[in-house]
Amino acid sequence: MSLEKAWGLLEAARRLHVVSHVDLDGLAAAALLLRWARRRGIEARHSVAGVRGLYRMLRRALQEAAGQPGSLVVVADLSPRGRDDAEAIAGLLRWGQRLLWIDHHEWPEGAREALERAGAVVVHDRSRVTAEIACSVARCEGDDLELVGLARADDSCAEDPRGLAERWRLVLRHLDWEGLRRAAEALAQGELWPDWVREVYEREAPSYYSEIREKTSVDRYEFNGLRVAVVTPPPRASGCDVQRLGLVPGPEEADVAVILYPRGISIRTWGQLRADCIASRLGGGGHSHVAGAPRPSTTMGPAQIARMVANAAEECRTGQ
């Protein structure tokens, strides 16, 4: 039913404003929606946002839409931080603006209902990457599936046959907001590896990988029999790259591995322990064995982070 409603919104749109996350899945989803709009001669634009800046970006987009009949705002690959955040966003839909939200992350309880009560259409499917959901919503054609493959490989930290996901992952971490929009535009135009992106990769790759190898540290802890490894890479390093270089302890050494960033943490688990459950108790979300959450404070060191994660994991194991 949600897919049909989403298709109806797209079909009725005369202007499209896509607000996407900054990773490859979010940008690929945005590119697919931009392609759909331009094939039909519909005016389309794109903005990027992180979780923290989403409300501000949506407020601006929805205010603009209020003065432009036929406008549709689409959020791709971002989830509300909590029910209160969803209620605040729902409160922006005062003048009948149309909002479509597609995402695959875990959502806080009550967030979807709050948005749908305000008239938003939400297509939420945790079994697929957001680019794949965008394909279903926009009824993709032919070459569009290449973007879905890239998004899937990046999201799962898997290799794709051409190695593009790994290289895009590096490039995106070295772009500013304008560069990220330019990247989505290139993908929308069918440029899977444009020259300017290749130049960024060739310039940054040697120092990027060398810095990860030289500056990543690993601290190990144990709380009530739960082994927690905290991996601290350089600030711009991707968790997928840290893992690919063999710097994240596996199930033989840890029950939970945490990659520590300046503003967030990435959680990896194995077996029955679910990373998304741990992350949800820390204000985040994700997938069953790879998830993320905000870092409460930059002053919290590895030991404090490890204990916080262990406490959340214990709640998940006991069902509290």
Side-chain angles (χ1 to χ4, degrees):
M1 182 65 73
S2 293
L3 280 175
E4 290 302 315
K5 288 182 178 179
W7 174 251
L9 284 181
L10 281 182
E11 282 285 88
R14 295 297 170 262
R15 296 178 183 83
L16 194 66
H17 187 170
V18 183
V19 178
S20 82
H21 193 218
V22 300
D23 67 2
L24 188 53
D25 187 21
L27 297 182
L32 289 166
L33 292 167
L34 294 175
R35 282 186 189 181
W36 177 89
R38 289 168 184 167
R39 284 169 181 159
R40 290 155 179 78
I42 296 172
E43 179 185 336
R45 56 178 297 200
H46 171 232
S47 300
V48 288
V51 174
R52 295 175 187 271
L54 178 58
Y55 175 83
R56 183 174 64 253
M57 181 63 70
L58 274 181
R59 181 176 59 190
R60 186 182 311 156
L62 289 167
Q63 285 174 344
E64 292 174 358
Q68 298 177 326
S71 292
L72 174 64
V73 177
V74 184
V75 181
D77 202 41
L78 287 155
S79 61
R81 289 188 291 176
R83 181 170 180 168
D84 289 346
D85 194 30
E87 294 277 9
I89 293 170
L92 298 173
L93 300 172
R94 301 170 187 162
W95 298 287
Q97 302 101 314
R98 293 181 296 177
L99 176 64
L100 170 60
W101 202 308
I102 60 175
D103 186 39
H104 71 139
H105 298 97
E106 181 173 329
W107 276 41
E109 185 178 352
R112 176 173 184 166
E113 292 77 7
L115 287 163
E116 290 180 333
R117 280 196 302 271
V121 173
V122 179
V123 184
H124 180 228
D125 184 349
R126 295 187 60 228
S127 69
R128 301 188 289 173
V129 294
T130 302
E132 191 171 1
I133 302 171
C135 252
S136 295
V137 170
R139 302 181 181 179
C140 279
E141 305 170 6
D143 294 344
D144 295 339
L145 296 179
E146 288 183 302
L147 289 183
V148 175
L150 280 179
R152 220 186 263 127
D154 180 60
D155 193 70
S156 62
C157 295
E159 296 287 342
D160 68 283
R162 297 169 60 184
L164 289 181
E166 172 193 323
R167 285 180 277 166
W168 264 110
R169 187 186 305 135
L170 184 155
V171 170
L172 295 179
R173 303 187 85 78
H174 291 84
L175 299 181
D176 58 15
W177 296 110
E178 182 56 39
L180 291 166
R181 286 192 293 270
R182 186 182 178 191
E185 186 61 42
L187 293 172
Q189 294 176 5
E191 299 179 71
L192 295 186
W193 191 241
D195 288 343
W196 69 270
V197 172
R198 176 183 52 77
E199 290 169 4
V200 173
Y201 177 81
E202 292 175 351
R203 182 178 68 244
E204 302 291 349
S207 60
Y208 173 78
Y209 290 121
S210 175
E211 186 179 29
I212 292 175
R213 291 187 180 95
E214 294 172 4
K215 295 186 178 181
T216 298
S217 62
V218 182
D219 297 284
R220 292 174 171 81
Y221 307 90
E222 186 168 333
F223 303 97
N224 298 323
L226 186 79
R227 301 168 299 164
V228 182
V230 179
V231 182
T232 309
R236 283 193 177 184
S238 159
C240 290
D241 292 325
V242 176
Q243 183 170 324
R244 189 174 58 82
L245 293 174
L247 300 173
V248 178
E252 301 82 7
E253 302 175 72
D255 302 302
V256 183
V258 181
I259 303 175
L260 185 58
Y261 301 113
R263 293 186 178 182
I265 60 174
S266 179
I267 302 165
R268 282 155 171 74
T269 62
W270 299 268
Q272 298 300 311
L273 188 58
R274 294 183 64 96
D276 55 356
C277 177
I278 297 172
S280 68
R281 282 162 167 73
L282 302 175
H287 309 294
S288 58
H289 295 299
V290 180
R295 181 173 176 171
S297 169
T298 56
T299 61
M300 290 183 71
Q304 294 168 298
I305 294 291
R307 183 175 290 279
M308 178 185 73
V309 169
N311 289 340
E314 184 62 25
E315 293 175 9
C316 291
R317 292 204 293 188
T318 60
Q320 295 178 352

